[in-house]
Amino acid sequence: MNIEEARSAVIRGEISPVELAGAVFERIGAVEEKIGSYVSVRKEHALSQAKQAEDSIRSGDTPALPGIPIAVKDNICTKGIKTTCSSRILENFIPPYESTVTQRLGEQGYVLAGKTNLDEFAMGSSTENSFFGRTKNPWDLQRVPGGSSGGSAAAVAADECIAAIGSDTGGSIRQPAAFCGVVGLKPTYGRVSRYGLVAFASSLDQIGPVTKTVRDSAILMNVISGHDPLDSTSAAVDTPDFTSALGRDINGMKIGIPKEYFIEGLDGEVAGAVKEAIKQLETLGAVAVEISLPHTEYAVAAYYILATSEASSNLARYDGVKYGLRVEGDDLIDMYMKTRDEGFGPEVKRRIILGTYALSSGYYDAYYRKAQQVRTLISRDFRKAFETVDLVVTPTTPTPAFRAGEKTADPLQMYLSDIFTISVNLAGVPAISIPCGFTSANLPVGLQIIGRHFDEESVFRAAYAYEQATGWHRMRPRLQE
Ligand code: GLN
């Protein structure tokens, strides 16, 4: 079931929230051992939320998410419930407060299905960098689900929840959505509050939905969007009803196809599926034009300087004093060193070192400042493109899901797999990944649709028109039970 179906079944009284939660836990019991989507599942807490939802429905309330089981990435704070970031340093961290996003989900009656696995501190593209072990792709257990929100995408694809929440700094919602054949949206920077999202790279981080359909994505955006005084980067803009963009035709919409995204290294089957999808959009009335985003080739380099710099600063707070793990030492410095040495995994350490280097005096101008300048050029590329087109359409990833272990020995190869998603975060614009076909090995392919700042509505409008015309989203992985 998706949110839309579950909601109407609950409201019509065909299924109760407690039964719905029970069904999700049964499914988790049957497949979780193979997939590993979750870091933690709190059945009793979920059942008490489901009972509460039942009571409020009985008293006449019809919230947006009446008892709907939704999984939340484990870098989003849930009061009283462990939030680990899949890191040893936060293995036993219990947040004393609730994130704004889960607060809003709660106000609409959701049930927390569980906290999902991620690359440690959201640093990675495969969910292999987790202290709690890797998550597997439900379409092929030998392959990665993508990352860093791999647990959220796998849980949705394997029906271990009705929908999920992820975070996206350089592609972490869209790339796993593409690899797992589900819908993932990175909203405009500032659209969704980051209060309670454990910071990785604050100028890029954004929370968004991972769902089975485009409509569900719009439904969740209606709940989680909006200005929040607790997040100084949250924008004071009105939240439209995102679902009203659905079902409007796309006749005459102009879609830009950036030539820099159809390059060597792009998998032939992925390119084929994306080109078919563009044709389909044209059949629906969109006008496709070739455009150029000339600074695309510098995006990965700029991102991995800026993201690591911000990470090195943000992660300074894990010092064995304020949060999480503490390993005693001979003196204060020794305690810091032992705590951070034992608490962080190798990828997190690599990023802290890279970022600290890029920010250090003598290198700041050559690396950090230069990367900021490149970021401005990339933003301008998009601004210029959006003077002539309404949307930009690209593949979400250069390849389908790769094999576990394939890229772990070569960080640069791993970083390059984010090549099509990163520019969107640098520019701060919204983008969705929706299923657009399968390779001959039966692996899902994702189509990325990018919009103007705060124009998620056009993104949803085109994504929905495409989804309804094709039906790829109805394909489910065959998991032997
Ligand atoms: N894969 C990218 C990285 O490793 C993006 C991660 C993310 O969006 N959180 O930084």
Side-chain angles (χ1 to χ4, degrees):
M1 273 188 183
N2 57 41
I3 296 178
E4 192 189 1
E5 293 160 347
R7 181 175 193 273
S8 57
V10 165
I11 287 182
R12 284 200 302 265
E14 290 161 14
I15 188 169
S16 75
V18 171
E19 288 168 336
L20 193 56
V24 165
F25 289 127
E26 206 174 292
R27 177 71 180 172
I28 291 174
V31 302
E32 175 60 8
E33 212 172 303
K34 284 186 203 151
I35 311 285
S37 300
Y38 288 103
V39 172
S40 63
V41 170
R42 291 271 309 270
K43 232 168 160 172
E44 268 159 45
H45 176 263
L47 288 173
S48 88
Q49 281 182 309
K51 282 207 191 78
Q52 261 178 38
E54 263 178 37
D55 292 344
S56 86
I57 295 161
R58 215 170 287 131
S59 69
D61 275 2
T62 48
L65 306 167
I68 309 294
I70 293 173
V72 175
K73 189 174 179 178
D74 209 23
N75 60 349
I76 295 174
C77 287
T78 40
K79 186 175 178 179
I81 293 176
K82 253 196 326 202
T83 299
T84 67
C85 293
S86 291
S87 178
R88 186 178 174 215
I89 213 158
L90 291 178
E91 188 180 1
N92 297 310
F93 174 62
I94 298 178
Y97 69 100
E98 190 76 29
S99 74
T100 295
V101 161
T102 49
Q103 173 75 31
R104 289 185 179 173
L105 293 169
E107 285 160 10
Q108 294 302 322
Y110 98 128
V111 166
L112 177 64
K115 302 294 296 286
T116 55
N117 199 17
L118 61 147
D119 287 297
E120 186 177 0
F121 284 102
M123 296 175 190
S125 314
S126 64
T127 317
E128 292 168 293
N129 303 332
S130 164
F131 178 65
F132 302 106
R134 76 177 184 98
T135 299
K136 295 168 191 103
N137 189 316
W139 292 91
D140 178 347
L141 302 178
Q142 306 303 317
R143 291 178 189 265
V144 303
S148 63
S149 312
S152 292
V156 172
D159 283 316
E160 293 185 272
C161 58
I162 306 278
I165 296 290
S167 69
D168 190 315
T169 304
S172 277
I173 290 175
R174 291 159 288 152
Q175 184 253 24
F179 281 7
C180 293
V182 296
V183 175
L185 175 83
K186 185 204 83 80
T188 308
Y189 186 77
R191 175 68 94 180
V192 177
S193 170
R194 295 183 299 111
Y195 182 71
L197 168 66
V198 177
F200 160 16
S202 309
S203 77
L204 301 156
D205 299 339
Q206 192 60 190
I207 295 177
V210 181
T211 57
K212 296 177 187 177
T213 65
V214 174
R215 181 174 294 277
D216 280 4
S217 188
I219 291 171
L220 282 183
M221 280 298 286
N222 280 353
V223 175
I224 65 174
S225 301
H227 180 243
D228 178 10
L230 297 173
D231 172 5
S232 63
T233 63
S234 126
V237 294
D238 289 337
T239 304
D241 175 3
F242 292 105
T243 62
S244 66
L246 312 177
R248 283 169 57 201
D249 71 53
I250 60 166
N251 228 342
M253 266 185 129
K254 272 187 115 179
I255 56 172
I257 316 299
K259 59 171 190 258
E260 291 81 3
Y261 282 62
F262 293 83
I263 44 163
E264 215 184 302
L266 172 60
D267 176 271
E269 290 187 289
V270 171
V274 169
K275 285 184 181 146
E276 267 312 303
I278 293 166
K279 271 193 213 144
Q280 179 67 51
L281 288 166
E282 289 180 306
T283 308
L284 293 166
V287 181
V289 290
E290 188 183 271
I291 59 161
S292 174
L293 298 169
H295 297 94
T296 300
E297 65 173 304
Y298 308 110
V300 172
Y303 169 88
Y304 276 97
I305 289 172
L306 297 174
T308 56
S309 296
E310 292 186 33
S312 84
S313 163
N314 272 326
L315 271 59
R317 71 189 72 180
Y318 305 102
D319 58 3
V321 177
K322 300 188 279 295
Y323 310 89
L325 182 76
R326 175 191 185 99
V327 181
E328 295 301 343
D330 297 338
D331 54 26
L332 184 66
I333 297 293
D334 195 41
M335 186 278 286
Y336 286 159
M337 296 208 316
K338 289 203 165 99
T339 297
R340 289 167 68 83
D341 182 36
E342 293 182 28
F344 291 135
E347 181 61 23
V348 173
K349 286 179 188 162
R350 178 180 296 123
R351 304 238 182 163
I352 292 171
I353 291 167
L354 284 170
T356 306
Y357 180 84
L359 288 175
S360 54
S361 87
Y363 296 101
Y364 181 94
D365 286 329
Y367 296 109
Y368 185 77
R369 185 190 302 277
K370 202 37 114 208
Q372 289 286 36
Q373 289 165 336
V374 171
R375 180 176 190 170
T376 300
L377 295 175
I378 288 169
S379 295
R380 280 190 200 151
D381 282 356
F382 279 100
R383 208 177 314 143
K384 189 148 175 272
F386 285 127
E387 284 168 11
T388 52
V389 298
D390 300 304
L391 296 167
V392 172
V393 173
T394 76
T396 307
T397 59
T399 67
F402 46 88
R403 288 204 167 70
E406 196 178 316
K407 296 184 198 278
T408 39
D410 187 348
L412 197 57
Q413 281 308 314
M414 189 70 90
Y415 298 169
L416 281 168
S417 69
D418 303 327
I419 190 158
F420 296 153
T421 47
I422 270 174
S423 300
V424 163
N425 300 76
L426 292 171
V429 291
I432 202 167
S433 178
I434 55 172
C436 75
F438 288 83
T439 65
S440 50
N442 203 34
L443 298 171
V445 179
L447 180 74
Q448 179 170 239
I449 305 177
I450 308 166
R452 297 185 179 97
H453 285 107
F454 297 105
D455 190 16
E456 283 84 355
E457 287 165 285
S458 294
V459 172
F460 279 138
R461 184 173 155 196
Y464 185 77
Y466 175 82
E467 178 193 78
Q468 295 305 301
T470 54
W472 296 115
H473 64 292
R474 279 190 285 272
M475 306 284 284
R476 318 297 315 158
R478 237 172 281 134
L479 279 164
Q480 292 85 20
E481 280 169 41

